[in-house]
Structure formats: C-alpha cells, structure tokens
Amino acid sequence: MNAISGKGRTGLPAAVIWGYVATLIFMVGDGLEHGWLSPYLIEHGLTIQQSATLFTAYGAVLAIASYFSGVLTEAFGPRKVMLAGLLLWLVGQVLFIEFGLKDQNYAWMLPTYALRGFGYPLFCYSFLVWVTYRSPERIMATAVGLFWAAWSGGLYVVGSYFPAYMIPKIGYVGLMWSAVVWVVVGGLVGILVVKDDGIKRQGNSKEKLKSLLSGLTICVEKPKVAIGGIVRIINSTGIGALPIFFPLYLSSEYGFTTEQWLQVWGTMWVANIIFNLIIPYISDRWLGWRNTVMWVGSFGCGVMTLVMLYTPQFFGNNFWAMITVGIFFGIILCGFVPLTALVTSMAPDQKGSAMAVVSFGAGMSYFIAPAIVGAFIGIIGVHGVMWVFAGLYFLGAVLMKFMTLPDEEKQNESSYLMEKQTS
C-alpha cells in the first residue's frame, strides 16, 4: 500500500502513475476496433453514410458522458464514476457483438455501440479530473501529458498494432471479445488505486445539481473556458474522422491494405506518445501553453492534414512516405496537450467544471467528425472534407489568440500604461 500511496520520481503520487497504467490498458480494449470497424462494416453491406451515422451516435453519447465526467467526479468522487463507465462499456460491448456485429444487424448496432460510448469518458476523464487536483501546478502540463500519452498509447498504438497482428489469428469478432479482457483488467486496476481524496465534494442534492450545471454556467462566467472547449473540439475532429473514410480512400485509390493503414495509424501514435512527454515539458519551461497550442497544435495540424492528403498523390503507394507523414502528424498533435492545463488555470477554484467543458469538447469531436464526413463526403469528396478539417485547425489557431492567462493580461496592461506614460 505504501508503494501506491507514495510518490514516484516524477513528483506525482504513485497512485496517479498506476492510474496511467490503468488508463492505457482500458483504452487498448476500447480502441481495438477504431482503425478497422468502418471499412469492415462497409465491406459487409453498410453504406459509408450508415457507418458515419453509427459513429455519430457513438460520438453524441460520448460527448454527453465527457461533459458529465468532470462534474460527476466532483459530485460523487472518481471511483463511483469510473465504475459506472466500466459497467456501461461492458454492457454495450457484449450486446453490440452478440446482437449487432455477428448478424450485421444495424438496428442493434446503433443503440448498443452508442451505449458503449459512455464507457471511456466516465472512466478516463474522471481520473483526469483527479489528476488535475492531485498534481502540483509546476508540473501540471507534464502530468496531463502523461495521461494523454497513456490514453493514446492504449487507444491508438496498442489498439492498432494488436489488431494488425491478431486479426489473421482470431478474426474480427474474436478481437472484439478480447477487448473485454483488456477493459476488465484496466478497469479493476483503476478502481483499486484511485481514491476519492483531493477533491472538494458537494454534500446535499442541491449542491450536486449546482455542480452538474456548473459546466454550463462557467462558460458564461468565464468565456475563455468556452473558447478552450471549442479548441478542444477542433483538436480531435480531424484526426478522429480519419479512420472513418481515409483507409477506404487509400485502399481504393492507391492500393493500401488495412494492415498497412493500421501500421501507419499506430506509428503516428507511437510518435505522439514519445513527444507527449517532450512537448509539454518544453511548453512548461519555455514556449508557454498558449503559444504551444496555437502554433504547434492548431496551425501545425492544419498543415499536416493537407500533407497527409497530398502525400499519396505525389508518392503513390509508398508505405514509408505515409509512415513518415504519420510520425510528423503524431508529433505535431502533441501541441494540444497544454490546453487542459491552460483551461483549468482559467478557473482554479472550479477545475472540475472547467474539465467538464474540456472533456465535453473532446467528446463532441467524435460526434462532429463523423457528422461532417456523412454530410459532405458525397458532395465534396475526400479532398473537400480534408480541407474542411484543415480549415477547422487553422480556426483553432485564431481562437487561441484570445486565450491569455490573467498574468499575461496584467503584463500587457502594465506595458500599455508604461508606453502611454512615456509617449
């Protein structure tokens, strides 16, 4: 028990570090189908619009769960919320496999896959709220970066390489059943190590209801938190939409296989994990949170979206060219990591509410991304959709201009007064 309650070499409590391990394992199970499910369903009779609708429904539920994860954690504590996420995921997964995937029954797929969307936001984002409370301010961006490294490591890295290796051995349905094992193990580890300490809890029902609504009211009271939520939506929108349509595009136009795509996708997130630990450190020490999100994250991802689109046109079916693009895209995506620390710093006494907005933004991206694909791919094609996503990233860079910290505002005001006095 002392090992769990003590502190690691990073300065973080050991329980937080074990929570990262739990997050990684849980997200492996959640991510085993993300890279291949849409092409698989389309090959078995669904239209691309039906597949997009499936992911849109999933994203809508995920967005709701992402919002409530922060305020529910403050109201009831992280352990209860994490347990609820684990149970809802398991129910959705089993029903989806048994009644939807096996029989290719779209009527069953839609509600059961949507139910599954409650799972990881309630489990992982409630843990992230706890991390923001337990971590010292001086290493906050690093602590959040470690969370996202674990999150993406499970969802995208192991969640891509494991299927690429196991699909020929156990098949698609067998792979989905193996996800249950990953989630149960990660879920149990997380619930055992995470405590309900460190968070100021609301006592009576009135206070809990106020906490649930605080994620909405804080956007009015502190508009910069709302801007941060919008940027968080943009953060995952373009990258979250890629598995829905881009593997099909690479396959039909350039002959890339599903296994090749999964390796590109997985390698992208390997690079992301490595630099998830480096870029937040640089951001904390030198570049600053706002500049990192503005230039590295937002502007950089806009550029890399277009690079990924046009690389096959210049290099054809060149696996290593796509791997290289994936590596750089994964690195640049790390520029969004300080956003959580930036937004919560705007409301130091309402971190759970601020996190609710950030988490809701993360969830909404998985609703908006497939909705954009379903609505526009038949009209403007793959190229048009990719330009839409690139444009959203560039918009995020513009919005970050308004995300100044209180200290920066005071400094700017002092500079303005000094200039006025000397003129």
Side-chain angles (χ1 to χ4, degrees), residues 328-392:
F328 279 102
F329 207 149
I331 293 170
I332 292 301
L333 193 61
C334 297
F336 282 106
V337 169
L339 182 62
T340 301
L342 180 61
V343 174
T344 54
S345 71
M346 302 289 179
D349 298 325
Q350 296 173 281
K351 287 185 177 181
S353 301
M355 274 300 305
V357 176
V358 175
S359 299
F360 179 70
M364 275 299 291
S365 65
Y366 288 95
F367 168 75
I368 293 174
I372 290 174
V373 174
F376 293 107
I377 198 157
I379 303 171
I380 58 179
V382 170
H383 282 243
V385 169
M386 290 290 275
W387 270 96
V388 168
F389 291 133
L392 287 173

Side-chain angles (χ1 to χ4, degrees), residues 271-289:
N272 181 263
I273 284 180
I274 295 170
F275 281 83
N276 250 330
L277 308 178
I278 297 171
I279 289 185
Y281 180 85
I282 295 172
S283 176
D284 278 338
R285 298 301 189 278
W286 299 293
L287 193 56
W289 296 344

Side-chain angles (χ1 to χ4, degrees), residues 226-302:
I227 294 173
I230 294 170
V231 175
R232 185 63 185 89
I233 293 174
I234 294 170
N235 172 192
S236 298
T237 295
I239 201 73
L242 284 177
I244 298 173
F245 69 98
F246 205 66
L248 293 170
Y249 170 73
L250 292 177
S251 175
S252 61
E253 298 293 328
Y254 301 101
F256 283 87
T257 65
T258 299
E259 288 75 16
Q260 285 178 316
W261 161 253
L262 287 172
Q263 290 176 59
V264 170
W265 188 241
T267 303
M268 176 192 301
W269 294 100
V270 169
N272 181 263
I273 284 180
I274 295 170
F275 281 83
N276 250 330
L277 308 178
I278 297 171
I279 289 185
Y281 180 85
I282 295 172
S283 176
D284 278 338
R285 298 301 189 278
W286 299 293
L287 193 56
W289 296 344
R290 185 167 69 102
N291 286 334
T292 302
V293 177
M294 183 191 303
W295 294 111
V296 181
S298 300
F299 183 80
C301 281

